[in-house]
Amino acid sequence: MATEIAHFSEAERAMAQVSVILPTYNRAHLIGETIDSLLAQTRKPDEILVIDDGSEDGVADVLSRFGTSIRLVRQDNAGKAAALNRGLEMVKGDLIWICDDDDILLPEACALLAGTLEADPMLEFCAGRHLDFTHYPDGGAKHLRPPGYMRASPSERIFADLLEGCHIFQPGLMVRREVYEAVGPFRKDLVRSQDYEMLLRIARRQKGLQLDQVTFWHRDHDGVRGQAGQHFSAVSNADRWAEYNALIFRALLDDLADHELFARSEWESMAVAERPRLARVARATVEARQRMWDDALADFERAAQSDRTPLTEAERARVARATLTSLGTGNLLADTRLHHRLRRLGHVSVAGREMRRGIRRSMRWQFRQALAARDRAKLKALARFYLAS
C-alpha cells in the first residue's frame, strides 16, 4: 500500500483553518495516545476540541496534562452523536476533522488531508486509508494488518462502494465545514453506525477523493462500547452494527434511484435493457452485505422473475460478493427459513438458479476457515445450510 505523501506548493496551500473534534467516553486508558498523535502532526490542527461525554473513569486527569493544547468541554452523557453535534456548533475551522478517542493519527495525516482540499476547491471531502492494529500481549508493540473491508474507490464510485460496506472511517476523513452545515446533524437515534450514516449522506451528494496513503491506525480492542445504559462488548459489535445499519439502509434504499447504485460512467455505459435487473441484483447485494437477508432474497427473487435469461458477468460478480461482508453471515447460517427461501430461488428461473449457486459458492471460504480452525459448531451450521439451501 502506498505511503508516500503528496506535496503542495505554498500557492496551492491556502492554509485553511483545521478543527479537530474528539468526543470521548470512558477512554482514560486510550485517549492520551490519540491526543499525543494529534499534537505530533507535521501540520498542527488549529484547534483540538475534546467533548467529554460524561466519563466516569478519571479521563479528566489524563486530559489535564495537555493544558492549553486542547480545548475541553464536559457534558452529561448523551451519546456520541450529541457530542459531535455540539462540537460542530463550537469549532471555528474551515475544515472539520473528527477523530475517535482510541485511534492513532499518523504524523502527515493533517497535512495530507487538508492540503488535498486546499489544492482543489471542487472537493468537498478527502479520505485516507487506515490499518487495523492490536497490541502484542507481551509488551506494547503494535501488530498492524489490513482492514477487513477496503476499496480503492475513484471519486465517482465512493458512494456506491460505501453501500456495500464502510471503508472510510472518520479519523481518516476531513470535510469542509459547509458540507456538515448542508447535510444536517448526526442522528442521535443511532447508538451505533451514526458515523457511517453521516458518511453516506455526505458521499451521496458531495464530491470527494479517496487517497492511497494510510493516514491513521484503527485500534481493534475488546473494550466496552456505547453510551451509558447501552453498553455492549466488542464481541457483539457485528450484531449491533447490523441492527443499526438495517435502520439506515431500509430508509436509504427506499429513497435511492437505480443509477445511484453505480458509478456514473458504469451506468451510462450499460445497455438500457440490462439496467433494471442489474439494479435489482445490485440492491439485493447491498442488502445481503448489510445482513438484511429477508430483503435481499426478496430482491434476488424479483430480479430472477423479471428477466429469466442467464445472468450477465456483472450480475454474477455482484452475487458472488453478497456474503463477503465484515458483518458476517450468522443469521443466514442460523435461520432455516432463509435456507428454504434460497432453495426456492433456484426454482424461479435460470437466473434464479445461478443466483442460488453463486450465494452458496461464496460461502465456501467459511467452510475452509472453519475446517482449518477445527470449529465444529461452525462446520455443523455450514453443513445444515448446504443441506437445506
Side-chain angles (χ1 to χ4, degrees):
M1 186 176 294
T3 56
E4 63 179 352
I5 303 300
H7 296 282
F8 301 94
S9 69
E10 289 300 318
E12 290 173 318
R13 184 168 290 184
M15 299 306 290
Q17 300 289 296
V18 177
S19 292
V20 172
I21 302 176
L22 180 59
T24 189
Y25 176 67
N26 286 350
R27 289 279 174 77
H29 59 304
L30 298 175
I31 192 172
E33 193 171 15
T34 300
I35 296 176
D36 283 338
S37 72
L38 285 167
L39 295 177
Q41 293 294 301
T42 59
R43 172 174 173 172
K44 301 293 189 294
D46 295 278
E47 63 175 331
I48 300 173
L49 174 64
V50 179
I51 307 286
D52 179 6
D53 189 37
S55 296
E56 301 170 336
D57 67 343
V59 72
D61 293 333
V62 176
L63 297 176
S64 65
R65 74 178 173 89
F66 294 103
T68 58
S69 298
I70 64 171
R71 180 183 175 196
L72 175 60
V73 173
R74 294 186 176 91
Q75 65 180 32
D76 292 338
N77 182 263
K80 184 177 181 180
L84 289 173
N85 289 338
R86 185 173 184 185
L88 287 170
E89 292 174 355
M90 296 182 67
V91 292
K92 307 189 184 307
D94 310 293
L95 306 177
I96 309 298
W97 190 16
I98 295 173
C99 297
D100 290 333
D101 58 0
D102 55 350
D103 295 330
I104 297 174
L105 295 310
L106 298 188
E108 291 280 359
C110 185
L112 176 61
L113 295 170
T116 300
L117 289 170
E118 289 164 346
D120 187 349
M122 301 304 293
L123 289 178
E124 301 293 349
F125 66 92
C126 178
R129 293 173 176 269
H130 66 276
L131 294 174
D132 291 336
F133 81 95
T134 53
H135 283 96
Y136 284 109
D138 56 353
K142 294 177 176 61
H143 171 57
L144 295 169
R145 64 184 183 280
Y149 175 70
M150 177 52 70
R151 294 277 179 88
S153 305
S155 288
E156 65 167 357
R157 273 209 64 85
I158 291 177
F159 178 67
D161 285 344
L162 282 168
L163 291 174
E164 293 195 12
C166 190
H167 63 296
I168 294 173
F169 290 2
Q170 275 188 327
L173 177 70
M174 195 172 286
V175 182
R176 296 191 191 276
R177 165 190 284 280
E178 56 264 30
V179 172
Y180 281 118
E181 293 171 348
V183 301
F186 284 84
R187 282 177 53 176
K188 292 190 287 185
D189 61 311
L190 298 175
V191 177
R192 202 69 180 150
S193 300
Q194 62 274 89
D195 305 348
Y196 189 13
E197 190 275 339
M198 173 60 78
L199 180 56
L200 287 164
R201 253 190 283 166
I202 291 171
R204 185 180 181 185
R205 304 297 187 200
Q206 311 294 334
K207 181 182 179 182
L209 180 67
Q210 183 189 9
L211 305 173
D212 288 334
Q213 290 90 342
V214 174
T215 54
F216 79 101
W217 294 344
H218 172 256
R219 190 187 302 265
D220 186 10
H221 59 92
D222 297 327
V224 172
R225 300 164 186 265
Q227 67 192 72
Q230 301 190 59
H231 292 165
F232 53 95
S233 69
V235 174
S236 64
N237 247 356
D239 292 339
R240 295 304 297 267
W241 264 315
E243 176 187 349
Y244 284 99
N245 284 7
L247 291 176
I248 296 166
F249 273 84
R250 285 202 175 94
L252 176 60
L253 288 170
D254 282 347
D255 186 55
L256 213 61
D258 284 351
H259 69 86
E260 293 182 272
L261 294 156
F262 306 88
R264 181 175 178 178
S265 60
E266 184 182 8
W267 179 258
E268 291 178 349
S269 65
M270 199 184 302
V272 173
E274 293 179 358
R275 289 176 178 174
R277 191 175 73 176
L278 179 53
R280 184 63 66 180
V281 170
R283 197 174 293 266
T285 298
V286 169
E287 291 161 339
R289 290 178 62 89
Q290 298 299 338
R291 257 173 55 171
M292 299 162 56
W293 275 101
D294 274 309
D295 305 75
L297 287 170
D299 273 323
F300 278 129
E301 187 170 344
R302 291 187 191 103
Q305 290 171 337
S306 67
D307 181 346
R308 295 169 177 267
T309 60
L311 298 181
T312 65
E313 198 59 41
E315 290 167 336
R316 290 191 196 97
R318 297 268 177 171
V319 173
R321 59 180 187 259
T323 68
L324 307 181
T325 167
S326 58
L327 295 177
T329 55
N331 58 335
L332 180 62
L333 284 178
D335 194 335
T336 55
R337 183 179 50 84
L338 295 176
H339 304 167
H340 297 152
R341 289 191 66 181
L342 182 54
R343 180 183 287 273
R344 288 201 305 271
L345 175 62
H347 296 292
V348 170
S349 64
V350 172
R353 186 160 61 249
E354 287 191 72
M355 291 174 194
R356 172 179 176 264
R357 186 185 306 128
I359 291 169
R360 284 164 54 88
R361 185 182 295 124
S362 72
M363 297 284 279
R364 289 179 182 175
W365 70 271
Q366 295 192 48
F367 184 83
R368 291 192 293 269
Q369 188 181 58
L371 196 62
R374 298 183 180 180
D375 186 340
R376 293 185 178 182
K378 183 70 173 288
L379 287 169
K380 286 181 180 178
L382 284 161
R384 286 194 297 268
F385 167 77
Y386 280 114
L387 287 170
S389 67

